[in-house]
Amino acid sequence: MTVGNDNLPMVPVQAGRAMAEGSVARAREAYERFAEAGEMALNAFETSMSETFQGWRSVMGSSRETAHQLSESNVAGARRMREQWEAAGARLYNAFEDNAAHTLAAMREIGHRVLVASDTNIRANLDFAERIAQAADAREVASLNVTFLQEQARRLTDQMVDLHQTTSRLAREAAVRTETP
């Protein structure tokens, strides 16, 4: 049997199905490469941020050492000033590092949840495309479409609730850290 349209050449059903299945397979392969590249980018970002913090640590350490050397040559008053400066600098740096670490962890958790949700949705769409390509007739296509739309609506609702709960929890945790001395 062949399927026809007045504006298109006649294409045998099996050839059309084979083209559709091949296209879905190529799309799935392309997505797998995209997902892998995304994960590599996320890992590179985390590595870069880690190296940035290491740089901050070394700068703070060298500043402390320089201050220590300079103040060693002064009298007891300078020593007290150095100790106060070091304590204030340590508190400032520790607060900065703590806040930055928590912010990055929160960003990573939200980003991870968004990536997982996106990945789930794309894979569901590719699976749906495969089922459509293998459908026997228009009735089966319509049934698959209705089922897919219902599943997708549930999936998106669950993902949005999860993302809302996650961001709310992270905001509450940040507020508690801000309020605690």
Side-chain angles (χ1 to χ4, degrees), residues 35-53:
E36 185 177 313
E39 186 155 338
M40 288 170 46
L42 182 61
N43 290 338
F45 172 75
E46 288 177 343
T47 300
S48 173
M49 292 309 294
S50 175
E51 290 170 357
T52 298
F53 282 125

Side-chain angles (χ1 to χ4, degrees), residues 1-63:
M1 176 183 167
T2 57
V3 177
N5 180 319
D6 292 342
N7 300 321
L8 300 173
M10 298 292 281
V11 177
V13 172
Q14 282 307 106
R17 181 170 285 143
M19 287 189 319
E21 288 174 354
S23 295
V24 170
R26 284 190 301 281
R28 188 177 296 278
E29 288 171 17
Y31 175 71
E32 292 296 335
R33 288 191 300 275
F34 171 77
E36 185 177 313
E39 186 155 338
M40 288 170 46
L42 182 61
N43 290 338
F45 172 75
E46 288 177 343
T47 300
S48 173
M49 292 309 294
S50 175
E51 290 170 357
T52 298
F53 282 125
Q54 287 301 102
W56 271 98
R57 282 188 186 106
S58 67
V59 166
M60 288 303 290
S62 67
S63 296

Side-chain angles (χ1 to χ4, degrees), residues 57-179:
R57 282 188 186 106
S58 67
V59 166
M60 288 303 290
S62 67
S63 296
R64 286 179 185 163
E65 183 60 31
T66 301
H68 181 71
Q69 289 170 357
L70 288 174
S71 63
E72 280 296 317
S73 64
N74 293 325
V75 293
R79 183 164 293 163
R80 279 193 308 274
M81 281 180 39
R82 184 203 75 214
E83 290 168 355
Q84 290 172 353
W85 182 85
E86 285 179 346
R91 284 192 307 274
L92 176 63
Y93 176 74
N94 290 339
F96 169 78
E97 185 175 29
D98 186 54
N99 286 334
H102 286 293
T103 300
L104 285 173
M107 288 171 43
R108 174 147 177 47
E109 184 173 349
I110 291 169
H112 176 73
R113 288 180 185 270
V114 169
L115 287 174
V116 167
S118 297
D119 183 68
T120 299
N121 295 335
I122 290 170
R123 290 178 191 282
N125 277 289
L126 291 169
D127 292 344
F128 172 66
E130 282 180 354
R131 288 192 301 272
I132 289 292
Q134 296 168 355
D137 56 23
R139 181 172 287 141
E140 186 178 353
V141 168
S143 174
L144 288 169
N145 195 34
V146 167
T147 301
F148 174 75
L149 291 174
Q150 289 170 342
E151 290 171 356
Q152 188 68 357
R154 276 191 300 275
R155 190 172 20 257
L156 290 172
T157 299
D158 291 345
Q159 291 166 350
M160 294 310 295
V161 166
D162 177 61
L163 192 56
H164 178 268
Q165 289 173 344
T166 299
T167 55
S168 295
R169 176 182 51 79
L170 292 170
R172 282 191 307 275
E173 290 171 3
V176 166
R177 278 192 311 278
T178 302
E179 293 170 358

